[in-house]
Amino acid sequence: MIKSGSPEDLERMMIRMDTEANRPIDDPAPLRDFPKHGRPLVFVGGIYGKAVGWTQKYGLIEWLDPSGKYHMGWAHSSSIRRVQPGDWKGSSAL
């Protein structure tokens, strides 16, 4: 688990700011966040992650790659599939 105020927490915050600054231009809708402890488990294009927020057309997704590096990116809502906890193969370090 990442503790608030840790270097990992700061790194994730910077990645989020960068990702939000590069959001898809075709969706000006406001970004709405999921609660930190209630983020849906998702599968998008071969990646298991968690949905952080959403707009009308896109979802903001976070995941860890096989080496444990943190990533965040946008996915079109039509490509996002919610996954039940028993079927999710993502990292518990999210």
Side-chain angles (χ1 to χ4, degrees):
M1 171 177 254
I2 305 287
K3 293 183 179 179
S4 182
S6 70
E8 293 88 0
D9 193 39
L10 180 61
E11 179 185 3
R12 288 181 180 195
M13 182 180 68
M14 298 302 291
I15 290 171
R16 174 151 184 181
M17 289 172 50
D18 206 33
T19 304
E20 285 185 27
N22 294 308
R23 77 184 271 183
I25 196 166
D26 66 337
D27 187 8
L31 176 64
R32 292 175 276 178
D33 286 334
F34 287 105
K36 184 171 179 114
H37 298 289
R39 293 180 174 162
L41 304 175
V42 296
F43 180 75
V44 182
I47 296 170
Y48 287 92
K50 290 185 180 179
V52 175
W54 77 98
T55 67
Q56 289 178 344
K57 295 181 182 180
Y58 294 92
L60 184 57
I61 309 300
E62 65 178 358
W63 72 94
L64 296 175
D65 67 20
S67 71
K69 184 173 182 217
Y70 182 80
H71 297 275
M72 186 175 274
W74 295 98
H76 197 275
S77 59
S78 64
S79 67
I80 301 171
R81 193 181 89 218
R82 284 193 182 206
V83 180
Q84 295 301 317
D87 298 325
W88 193 69
K89 295 175 179 67
S91 173
S92 61
L94 277 178

